[in-house]
Amino acid sequence: MSAFFENIRHLIDEIEKQESLEMEEAAEVIAKSIENGGIMQLFGSGHSHLLAQETYYRAGGLVPAKPIQIEGLMLHSGAITSSENEKNLSKSEEFWQGISLKPNDVLVVISTSGRNPIPVEMALRAKKLGIPVITLQSLFYSQQPSRHPSGKRLEDVATIVLNTHVPIGDGIVTDDNLQYGPVSTIAGATIINEVIVQVIQILQSKNIEPPVFSSNNIEAENNNDVWLQKYQNRINFN
C-alpha cells in the first residue's frame, strides 16, 4: 500500500473527526449568506488560489462562489512573484481594489501557514466591514510567528477556522529526512466541498432551491442559465 494513500486516508479521517463542528458552523454561515442574497468569495495566493478556483463554475457546486482573481498573487503570473507579493504589505491597498465585498457576503481566506501579511490584512479589512471570515489553514503552523505588523495570525482574525491538519512543509511522506507528497490541496478541496454539500442540504431543509450548477456535458435540461442571470451582476462567468 502506498504511504501517500495511507497517510491521506488518515488525514481525511482526522479532519472528519476533529473539524465536523467547524464545518457545520461554516456551512450555516454560508447558507445564511446565500439565503440573504450574498455570495461566497474566496481569497488565496499561489497554490492556495487553486482552492478558490476549485469552487468556481463547478458542476455540482454552488453558483454564488467567486474566486478573487488578483494577477499578482496567482501562479500563472509567476510563482516566485506571487510568493513575494503575499508577503509584501505595501501592496495591500492595490490588492484590496480587486475585492468587492457587499453586505451578506462571506469571505473565505485560504492560507496554509496563516502567517503571511496579505491574507491576514484581507481578513482584517473584511472583518472591519462586518463580513464573516472563514479561514482554511493548518494550525500546525500556529507556533510560526505572524509576518503581519499587528502580530496577528489568520486564526486570530477568523470568525471560523477550518483546520486542514496539513503538516508543516506540506509533504505527507517522509523518508531519510526528505519530505514529499504535498497534501494541502487535497485536504483543502475535501473540506470546502464538504462544507458546500452541507450548505446545499441546509437550503433544501428550508425549502429553498439551492443554486447549484448542473453539468453542461449531459443531455438534460438544467437551470444554469437562470442561475447565471441571477448572479451575473456579482460574478464574472465569461
mmCIF file with all atom_site columns, all heavy atoms in Angstrom, residues 165-190:
data_model
loop_
_atom_site.group_PDB
_atom_site.id
_atom_site.type_symbol
_atom_site.label_atom_id
_atom_site.label_alt_id
_atom_site.label_comp_id
_atom_site.label_asym_id
_atom_site.label_entity_id
_atom_site.label_seq_id
_atom_site.pdbx_PDB_ins_code
_atom_site.Cartn_x
_atom_site.Cartn_y
_atom_site.Cartn_z
_atom_site.occupancy
_atom_site.B_iso_or_equiv
_atom_site.pdbx_formal_charge
_atom_site.auth_seq_id
_atom_site.auth_comp_id
_atom_site.auth_asym_id
_atom_site.auth_atom_id
_atom_site.pdbx_PDB_model_num
ATOM 1   N N   . HIS A 1 165 ? -5.172  20.399 9.035  1.00 0.00 ? 165 HIS A N   1
ATOM 2   C CA  . HIS A 1 165 ? -4.271  19.409 9.658  1.00 0.00 ? 165 HIS A CA  1
ATOM 3   C C   . HIS A 1 165 ? -3.097  19.044 8.747  1.00 0.00 ? 165 HIS A C   1
ATOM 4   O O   . HIS A 1 165 ? -2.489  17.978 8.926  1.00 0.00 ? 165 HIS A O   1
ATOM 5   C CB  . HIS A 1 165 ? -5.044  18.146 10.059 1.00 0.00 ? 165 HIS A CB  1
ATOM 6   C CG  . HIS A 1 165 ? -6.058  18.372 11.136 1.00 0.00 ? 165 HIS A CG  1
ATOM 7   N ND1 . HIS A 1 165 ? -5.870  18.002 12.441 1.00 0.00 ? 165 HIS A ND1 1
ATOM 8   C CD2 . HIS A 1 165 ? -7.279  18.970 11.101 1.00 0.00 ? 165 HIS A CD2 1
ATOM 9   C CE1 . HIS A 1 165 ? -6.916  18.336 13.165 1.00 0.00 ? 165 HIS A CE1 1
ATOM 10  N NE2 . HIS A 1 165 ? -7.795  18.935 12.369 1.00 0.00 ? 165 HIS A NE2 1
ATOM 11  N N   . VAL A 1 166 ? -2.775  19.901 7.800  1.00 0.00 ? 166 VAL A N   1
ATOM 12  C CA  . VAL A 1 166 ? -1.648  19.642 6.902  1.00 0.00 ? 166 VAL A CA  1
ATOM 13  C C   . VAL A 1 166 ? -0.338  19.827 7.678  1.00 0.00 ? 166 VAL A C   1
ATOM 14  O O   . VAL A 1 166 ? -0.170  20.820 8.383  1.00 0.00 ? 166 VAL A O   1
ATOM 15  C CB  . VAL A 1 166 ? -1.697  20.599 5.690  1.00 0.00 ? 166 VAL A CB  1
ATOM 16  C CG1 . VAL A 1 166 ? -0.406  20.552 4.885  1.00 0.00 ? 166 VAL A CG1 1
ATOM 17  C CG2 . VAL A 1 166 ? -2.892  20.259 4.813  1.00 0.00 ? 166 VAL A CG2 1
ATOM 18  N N   . PRO A 1 167 ? 0.602   18.887 7.567  1.00 0.00 ? 167 PRO A N   1
ATOM 19  C CA  . PRO A 1 167 ? 1.852   19.013 8.314  1.00 0.00 ? 167 PRO A CA  1
ATOM 20  C C   . PRO A 1 167 ? 2.687   20.193 7.827  1.00 0.00 ? 167 PRO A C   1
ATOM 21  O O   . PRO A 1 167 ? 2.589   20.602 6.663  1.00 0.00 ? 167 PRO A O   1
ATOM 22  C CB  . PRO A 1 167 ? 2.567   17.689 8.042  1.00 0.00 ? 167 PRO A CB  1
ATOM 23  C CG  . PRO A 1 167 ? 1.991   17.196 6.755  1.00 0.00 ? 167 PRO A CG  1
ATOM 24  C CD  . PRO A 1 167 ? 0.561   17.662 6.747  1.00 0.00 ? 167 PRO A CD  1
ATOM 25  N N   . ILE A 1 168 ? 3.490   20.737 8.725  1.00 0.00 ? 168 ILE A N   1
ATOM 26  C CA  . ILE A 1 168 ? 4.409   21.806 8.330  1.00 0.00 ? 168 ILE A CA  1
ATOM 27  C C   . ILE A 1 168 ? 5.313   21.288 7.221  1.00 0.00 ? 168 ILE A C   1
ATOM 28  O O   . ILE A 1 168 ? 5.919   20.220 7.336  1.00 0.00 ? 168 ILE A O   1
ATOM 29  C CB  . ILE A 1 168 ? 5.240   22.278 9.533  1.00 0.00 ? 168 ILE A CB  1
ATOM 30  C CG1 . ILE A 1 168 ? 4.342   22.958 10.568 1.00 0.00 ? 168 ILE A CG1 1
ATOM 31  C CG2 . ILE A 1 168 ? 6.345   23.234 9.084  1.00 0.00 ? 168 ILE A CG2 1
ATOM 32  C CD1 . ILE A 1 168 ? 5.052   23.360 11.838 1.00 0.00 ? 168 ILE A CD1 1
ATOM 33  N N   . GLY A 1 169 ? 5.382   22.028 6.129  1.00 0.00 ? 169 GLY A N   1
ATOM 34  C CA  . GLY A 1 169 ? 6.160   21.602 4.972  1.00 0.00 ? 169 GLY A CA  1
ATOM 35  C C   . GLY A 1 169 ? 5.322   20.939 3.898  1.00 0.00 ? 169 GLY A C   1
ATOM 36  O O   . GLY A 1 169 ? 5.816   20.642 2.810  1.00 0.00 ? 169 GLY A O   1
ATOM 37  N N   . ASP A 1 170 ? 4.039   20.656 4.210  1.00 0.00 ? 170 ASP A N   1
ATOM 38  C CA  . ASP A 1 170 ? 3.041   20.163 3.255  1.00 0.00 ? 170 ASP A CA  1
ATOM 39  C C   . ASP A 1 170 ? 3.180   18.688 2.910  1.00 0.00 ? 170 ASP A C   1
ATOM 40  O O   . ASP A 1 170 ? 2.196   17.976 2.785  1.00 0.00 ? 170 ASP A O   1
ATOM 41  C CB  . ASP A 1 170 ? 3.044   21.003 1.964  1.00 0.00 ? 170 ASP A CB  1
ATOM 42  C CG  . ASP A 1 170 ? 1.679   21.058 1.299  1.00 0.00 ? 170 ASP A CG  1
ATOM 43  O OD1 . ASP A 1 170 ? 0.880   20.118 1.501  1.00 0.00 ? 170 ASP A OD1 1
ATOM 44  O OD2 . ASP A 1 170 ? 1.400   22.032 0.593  1.00 0.00 ? 170 ASP A OD2 1
ATOM 45  N N   . GLY A 1 171 ? 4.395   18.186 2.736  1.00 0.00 ? 171 GLY A N   1
ATOM 46  C CA  . GLY A 1 171 ? 4.574   16.793 2.354  1.00 0.00 ? 171 GLY A CA  1
ATOM 47  C C   . GLY A 1 171 ? 4.072   15.846 3.432  1.00 0.00 ? 171 GLY A C   1
ATOM 48  O O   . GLY A 1 171 ? 4.320   16.038 4.611  1.00 0.00 ? 171 GLY A O   1
ATOM 49  N N   . ILE A 1 172 ? 3.387   14.791 3.011  1.00 0.00 ? 172 ILE A N   1
ATOM 50  C CA  . ILE A 1 172 ? 2.783   13.848 3.956  1.00 0.00 ? 172 ILE A CA  1
ATOM 51  C C   . ILE A 1 172 ? 3.570   12.548 4.040  1.00 0.00 ? 172 ILE A C   1
ATOM 52  O O   . ILE A 1 172 ? 3.244   11.635 4.785  1.00 0.00 ? 172 ILE A O   1
ATOM 53  C CB  . ILE A 1 172 ? 1.310   13.593 3.569  1.00 0.00 ? 172 ILE A CB  1
ATOM 54  C CG1 . ILE A 1 172 ? 0.509   13.107 4.774  1.00 0.00 ? 172 ILE A CG1 1
ATOM 55  C CG2 . ILE A 1 172 ? 1.215   12.611 2.412  1.00 0.00 ? 172 ILE A CG2 1
ATOM 56  C CD1 . ILE A 1 172 ? -0.983  13.124 4.556  1.00 0.00 ? 172 ILE A CD1 1
ATOM 57  N N   . VAL A 1 173 ? 4.653   12.472 3.261  1.00 0.00 ? 173 VAL A N   1
ATOM 58  C CA  . VAL A 1 173 ? 5.531   11.301 3.281  1.00 0.00 ? 173 VAL A CA  1
ATOM 59  C C   . VAL A 1 173 ? 6.930   11.764 3.647  1.00 0.00 ? 173 VAL A C   1
ATOM 60  O O   . VAL A 1 173 ? 7.406   12.788 3.134  1.00 0.00 ? 173 VAL A O   1
ATOM 61  C CB  . VAL A 1 173 ? 5.556   10.584 1.906  1.00 0.00 ? 173 VAL A CB  1
ATOM 62  C CG1 . VAL A 1 173 ? 6.487   9.379  1.948  1.00 0.00 ? 173 VAL A CG1 1
ATOM 63  C CG2 . VAL A 1 173 ? 4.150   10.165 1.491  1.00 0.00 ? 173 VAL A CG2 1
ATOM 64  N N   . THR A 1 174 ? 7.585   11.051 4.541  1.00 0.00 ? 174 THR A N   1
ATOM 65  C CA  . THR A 1 174 ? 8.971   11.362 4.898  1.00 0.00 ? 174 THR A CA  1
ATOM 66  C C   . THR A 1 174 ? 9.823   10.115 4.750  1.00 0.00 ? 174 THR A C   1
ATOM 67  O O   . THR A 1 174 ? 9.387   8.997  5.048  1.00 0.00 ? 174 THR A O   1
ATOM 68  C CB  . THR A 1 174 ? 9.081   11.882 6.344  1.00 0.00 ? 174 THR A CB  1
ATOM 69  O OG1 . THR A 1 174 ? 8.507   10.926 7.234  1.00 0.00 ? 174 THR A OG1 1
ATOM 70  C CG2 . THR A 1 174 ? 8.370   13.220 6.494  1.00 0.00 ? 174 THR A CG2 1
ATOM 71  N N   . ASP A 1 175 ? 11.051  10.330 4.293  1.00 0.00 ? 175 ASP A N   1
ATOM 72  C CA  . ASP A 1 175 ? 11.968  9.212  4.060  1.00 0.00 ? 175 ASP A CA  1
ATOM 73  C C   . ASP A 1 175 ? 13.393  9.744  4.081  1.00 0.00 ? 175 ASP A C   1
ATOM 74  O O   . ASP A 1 175 ? 13.763  10.572 3.238  1.00 0.00 ? 175 ASP A O   1
ATOM 75  C CB  . ASP A 1 175 ? 11.654  8.564  2.708  1.00 0.00 ? 175 ASP A CB  1
ATOM 76  C CG  . ASP A 1 175 ? 12.497  7.332  2.434  1.00 0.00 ? 175 ASP A CG  1
ATOM 77  O OD1 . ASP A 1 175 ? 13.100  6.800  3.382  1.00 0.00 ? 175 ASP A OD1 1
ATOM 78  O OD2 . ASP A 1 175 ? 12.545  6.901  1.269  1.00 0.00 ? 175 ASP A OD2 1
ATOM 79  N N   . ASP A 1 176 ? 14.171  9.310  5.065  1.00 0.00 ? 176 ASP A N   1
ATOM 80  C CA  . ASP A 1 176 ? 15.560  9.772  5.181  1.00 0.00 ? 176 ASP A CA  1
ATOM 81  C C   . ASP A 1 176 ? 15.652  11.295 5.178  1.00 0.00 ? 176 ASP A C   1
ATOM 82  O O   . ASP A 1 176 ? 16.424  11.888 4.424  1.00 0.00 ? 176 ASP A O   1
ATOM 83  C CB  . ASP A 1 176 ? 16.419  9.193  4.042  1.00 0.00 ? 176 ASP A CB  1
ATOM 84  C CG  . ASP A 1 176 ? 16.574  7.688  4.159  1.00 0.00 ? 176 ASP A CG  1
ATOM 85  O OD1 . ASP A 1 176 ? 16.531  7.175  5.288  1.00 0.00 ? 176 ASP A OD1 1
ATOM 86  O OD2 . ASP A 1 176 ? 16.729  7.036  3.103  1.00 0.00 ? 176 ASP A OD2 1
ATOM 87  N N   . ASN A 1 177 ? 14.822  11.917 6.023  1.00 0.00 ? 177 ASN A N   1
ATOM 88  C CA  . ASN A 1 177 ? 14.796  13.377 6.178  1.00 0.00 ? 177 ASN A CA  1
ATOM 89  C C   . ASN A 1 177 ? 14.285  14.120 4.949  1.00 0.00 ? 177 ASN A C   1
ATOM 90  O O   . ASN A 1 177 ? 14.366  15.348 4.885  1.00 0.00 ? 177 ASN A O   1
ATOM 91  C CB  . ASN A 1 177 ? 16.176  13.919 6.559  1.00 0.00 ? 177 ASN A CB  1
ATOM 92  C CG  . ASN A 1 177 ? 16.634  13.401 7.903  1.00 0.00 ? 177 ASN A CG  1
ATOM 93  O OD1 . ASN A 1 177 ? 15.843  13.318 8.834  1.00 0.00 ? 177 ASN A OD1 1
ATOM 94  N ND2 . ASN A 1 177 ? 17.911  13.046 8.007  1.00 0.00 ? 177 ASN A ND2 1
ATOM 95  N N   . LEU A 1 178 ? 13.765  13.387 3.959  1.00 0.00 ? 178 LEU A N   1
ATOM 96  C CA  . LEU A 1 178 ? 13.153  14.020 2.782  1.00 0.00 ? 178 LEU A CA  1
ATOM 97  C C   . LEU A 1 178 ? 11.640  14.009 2.965  1.00 0.00 ? 178 LEU A C   1
ATOM 98  O O   . LEU A 1 178 ? 11.045  12.962 3.230  1.00 0.00 ? 178 LEU A O   1
ATOM 99  C CB  . LEU A 1 178 ? 13.539  13.262 1.514  1.00 0.00 ? 178 LEU A CB  1
ATOM 100 C CG  . LEU A 1 178 ? 13.006  13.822 0.200  1.00 0.00 ? 178 LEU A CG  1
ATOM 101 C CD1 . LEU A 1 178 ? 13.598  15.210 -0.072 1.00 0.00 ? 178 LEU A CD1 1
ATOM 102 C CD2 . LEU A 1 178 ? 13.328  12.877 -0.964 1.00 0.00 ? 178 LEU A CD2 1
ATOM 103 N N   . GLN A 1 179 ? 11.018  15.188 2.832  1.00 0.00 ? 179 GLN A N   1
ATOM 104 C CA  . GLN A 1 179 ? 9.569   15.324 2.966  1.00 0.00 ? 179 GLN A CA  1
ATOM 105 C C   . GLN A 1 179 ? 8.970   15.578 1.597  1.00 0.00 ? 179 GLN A C   1
ATOM 106 O O   . GLN A 1 179 ? 9.400   16.482 0.880  1.00 0.00 ? 179 GLN A O   1
ATOM 107 C CB  . GLN A 1 179 ? 9.241   16.476 3.923  1.00 0.00 ? 179 GLN A CB  1
ATOM 108 C CG  . GLN A 1 179 ? 7.758   16.662 4.181  1.00 0.00 ? 179 GLN A CG  1
ATOM 109 C CD  . GLN A 1 179 ? 7.475   17.821 5.129  1.00 0.00 ? 179 GLN A CD  1
ATOM 110 O OE1 . GLN A 1 179 ? 8.372   18.601 5.442  1.00 0.00 ? 179 GLN A OE1 1
ATOM 111 N NE2 . GLN A 1 179 ? 6.250   17.946 5.582  1.00 0.00 ? 179 GLN A NE2 1
ATOM 112 N N   . TYR A 1 180 ? 7.939   14.800 1.240  1.00 0.00 ? 180 TYR A N   1
ATOM 113 C CA  . TYR A 1 180 ? 7.350   14.959 -0.088 1.00 0.00 ? 180 TYR A CA  1
ATOM 114 C C   . TYR A 1 180 ? 5.909   14.461 -0.073 1.00 0.00 ? 180 TYR A C   1
ATOM 115 O O   . TYR A 1 180 ? 5.412   13.984 0.940  1.00 0.00 ? 180 TYR A O   1
ATOM 116 C CB  . TYR A 1 180 ? 8.191   14.243 -1.151 1.00 0.00 ? 180 TYR A CB  1
ATOM 117 C CG  . TYR A 1 180 ? 8.485   12.776 -0.864 1.00 0.00 ? 180 TYR A CG  1
ATOM 118 C CD1 . TYR A 1 180 ? 7.783   11.767 -1.515 1.00 0.00 ? 180 TYR A CD1 1
ATOM 119 C CD2 . TYR A 1 180 ? 9.478   12.401 0.034  1.00 0.00 ? 180 TYR A CD2 1
ATOM 120 C CE1 . TYR A 1 180 ? 8.052   10.428 -1.283 1.00 0.00 ? 180 TYR A CE1 1
ATOM 121 C CE2 . TYR A 1 180 ? 9.760   11.070 0.285  1.00 0.00 ? 180 TYR A CE2 1
ATOM 122 C CZ  . TYR A 1 180 ? 9.046   10.088 -0.378 1.00 0.00 ? 180 TYR A CZ  1
ATOM 123 O OH  . TYR A 1 180 ? 9.308   8.762  -0.142 1.00 0.00 ? 180 TYR A OH  1
ATOM 124 N N   . GLY A 1 181 ? 5.236   14.572 -1.226 1.00 0.00 ? 181 GLY A N   1
ATOM 125 C CA  . GLY A 1 181 ? 3.818   14.213 -1.297 1.00 0.00 ? 181 GLY A CA  1
ATOM 126 C C   . GLY A 1 181 ? 2.935   15.310 -0.737 1.00 0.00 ? 181 GLY A C   1
ATOM 127 O O   . GLY A 1 181 ? 2.252   15.121 0.277  1.00 0.00 ? 181 GLY A O   1
ATOM 128 N N   . PRO A 1 182 ? 2.903   16.511 -1.357 1.00 0.00 ? 182 PRO A N   1
ATOM 129 C CA  . PRO A 1 182 ? 2.122   17.627 -0.820 1.00 0.00 ? 182 PRO A CA  1
ATOM 130 C C   . PRO A 1 182 ? 0.635   17.283 -0.757 1.00 0.00 ? 182 PRO A C   1
ATOM 131 O O   . PRO A 1 182 ? 0.087   16.641 -1.644 1.00 0.00 ? 182 PRO A O   1
ATOM 132 C CB  . PRO A 1 182 ? 2.392   18.767 -1.803 1.00 0.00 ? 182 PRO A CB  1
ATOM 133 C CG  . PRO A 1 182 ? 2.804   18.096 -3.072 1.00 0.00 ? 182 PRO A CG  1
ATOM 134 C CD  . PRO A 1 182 ? 3.530   16.862 -2.656 1.00 0.00 ? 182 PRO A CD  1
ATOM 135 N N   . VAL A 1 183 ? -0.013  17.782 0.306  1.00 0.00 ? 183 VAL A N   1
ATOM 136 C CA  . VAL A 1 183 ? -1.388  17.351 0.553  1.00 0.00 ? 183 VAL A CA  1
ATOM 137 C C   . VAL A 1 183 ? -2.337  18.512 0.839  1.00 0.00 ? 183 VAL A C   1
ATOM 138 O O   . VAL A 1 183 ? -3.531  18.302 1.038  1.00 0.00 ? 183 VAL A O   1
ATOM 139 C CB  . VAL A 1 183 ? -1.389  16.337 1.720  1.00 0.00 ? 183 VAL A CB  1
ATOM 140 C CG1 . VAL A 1 183 ? -1.179  17.046 3.060  1.00 0.00 ? 183 VAL A CG1 1
ATOM 141 C CG2 . VAL A 1 183 ? -2.637  15.480 1.734  1.00 0.00 ? 183 VAL A CG2 1
ATOM 142 N N   . SER A 1 184 ? -1.849  19.748 0.835  1.00 0.00 ? 184 SER A N   1
ATOM 143 C CA  . SER A 1 184 ? -2.714  20.872 1.213  1.00 0.00 ? 184 SER A CA  1
ATOM 144 C C   . SER A 1 184 ? -3.892  21.051 0.254  1.00 0.00 ? 184 SER A C   1
ATOM 145 O O   . SER A 1 184 ? -4.998  21.400 0.691  1.00 0.00 ? 184 SER A O   1
ATOM 146 C CB  . SER A 1 184 ? -1.907  22.172 1.311  1.00 0.00 ? 184 SER A CB  1
ATOM 147 O OG  . SER A 1 184 ? -1.229  22.443 0.104  1.00 0.00 ? 184 SER A OG  1
ATOM 148 N N   . THR A 1 185 ? -3.680  20.826 -1.031 1.00 0.00 ? 185 THR A N   1
ATOM 149 C CA  . THR A 1 185 ? -4.782  20.988 -1.986 1.00 0.00 ? 185 THR A CA  1
ATOM 150 C C   . THR A 1 185 ? -5.844  19.910 -1.779 1.00 0.00 ? 185 THR A C   1
ATOM 151 O O   . THR A 1 185 ? -7.050  20.195 -1.813 1.00 0.00 ? 185 THR A O   1
ATOM 152 C CB  . THR A 1 185 ? -4.253  20.962 -3.430 1.00 0.00 ? 185 THR A CB  1
ATOM 153 O OG1 . THR A 1 185 ? -3.274  21.984 -3.597 1.00 0.00 ? 185 THR A OG1 1
ATOM 154 C CG2 . THR A 1 185 ? -5.381  21.201 -4.422 1.00 0.00 ? 185 THR A CG2 1
ATOM 155 N N   . ILE A 1 186 ? -5.410  18.668 -1.548 1.00 0.00 ? 186 ILE A N   1
ATOM 156 C CA  . ILE A 1 186 ? -6.354  17.572 -1.326 1.00 0.00 ? 186 ILE A CA  1
ATOM 157 C C   . ILE A 1 186 ? -7.176  17.825 -0.072 1.00 0.00 ? 186 ILE A C   1
ATOM 158 O O   . ILE A 1 186 ? -8.409  17.705 -0.074 1.00 0.00 ? 186 ILE A O   1
ATOM 159 C CB  . ILE A 1 186 ? -5.603  16.237 -1.219 1.00 0.00 ? 186 ILE A CB  1
ATOM 160 C CG1 . ILE A 1 186 ? -4.913  15.893 -2.546 1.00 0.00 ? 186 ILE A CG1 1
ATOM 161 C CG2 . ILE A 1 186 ? -6.545  15.109 -0.796 1.00 0.00 ? 186 ILE A CG2 1
ATOM 162 C CD1 . ILE A 1 186 ? -3.958  14.730 -2.466 1.00 0.00 ? 186 ILE A CD1 1
ATOM 163 N N   . ALA A 1 187 ? -6.502  18.198 1.016  1.00 0.00 ? 187 ALA A N   1
ATOM 164 C CA  . ALA A 1 187 ? -7.200  18.444 2.279  1.00 0.00 ? 187 ALA A CA  1
ATOM 165 C C   . ALA A 1 187 ? -8.147  19.625 2.148  1.00 0.00 ? 187 ALA A C   1
ATOM 166 O O   . ALA A 1 187 ? -9.309  19.567 2.581  1.00 0.00 ? 187 ALA A O   1
ATOM 167 C CB  . ALA A 1 187 ? -6.200  18.684 3.401  1.00 0.00 ? 187 ALA A CB  1
ATOM 168 N N   . GLY A 1 188 ? -7.666  20.710 1.544  1.00 0.00 ? 188 GLY A N   1
ATOM 169 C CA  . GLY A 1 188 ? -8.489  21.905 1.406  1.00 0.00 ? 188 GLY A CA  1
ATOM 170 C C   . GLY A 1 188 ? -9.703  21.680 0.532  1.00 0.00 ? 188 GLY A C   1
ATOM 171 O O   . GLY A 1 188 ? -10.814 22.119 0.863  1.00 0.00 ? 188 GLY A O   1
ATOM 172 N N   . ALA A 1 189 ? -9.511  20.983 -0.596 1.00 0.00 ? 189 ALA A N   1
ATOM 173 C CA  . ALA A 1 189 ? -10.633 20.722 -1.504 1.00 0.00 ? 189 ALA A CA  1
ATOM 174 C C   . ALA A 1 189 ? -11.670 19.820 -0.843 1.00 0.00 ? 189 ALA A C   1
ATOM 175 O O   . ALA A 1 189 ? -12.882 19.989 -1.036 1.00 0.00 ? 189 ALA A O   1
ATOM 176 C CB  . ALA A 1 189 ? -10.130 20.090 -2.799 1.00 0.00 ? 189 ALA A CB  1
ATOM 177 N N   . THR A 1 190 ? -11.202 18.859 -0.054 1.00 0.00 ? 190 THR A N   1
ATOM 178 C CA  . THR A 1 190 ? -12.131 17.976 0.651  1.00 0.00 ? 190 THR A CA  1
ATOM 179 C C   . THR A 1 190 ? -12.981 18.760 1.641  1.00 0.00 ? 190 THR A C   1
ATOM 180 O O   . THR A 1 190 ? -14.214 18.602 1.699  1.00 0.00 ? 190 THR A O   1
ATOM 181 C CB  . THR A 1 190 ? -11.351 16.872 1.391  1.00 0.00 ? 190 THR A CB  1
ATOM 182 O OG1 . THR A 1 190 ? -10.597 16.110 0.448  1.00 0.00 ? 190 THR A OG1 1
ATOM 183 C CG2 . THR A 1 190 ? -12.301 15.945 2.140  1.00 0.00 ? 190 THR A CG2 1
#
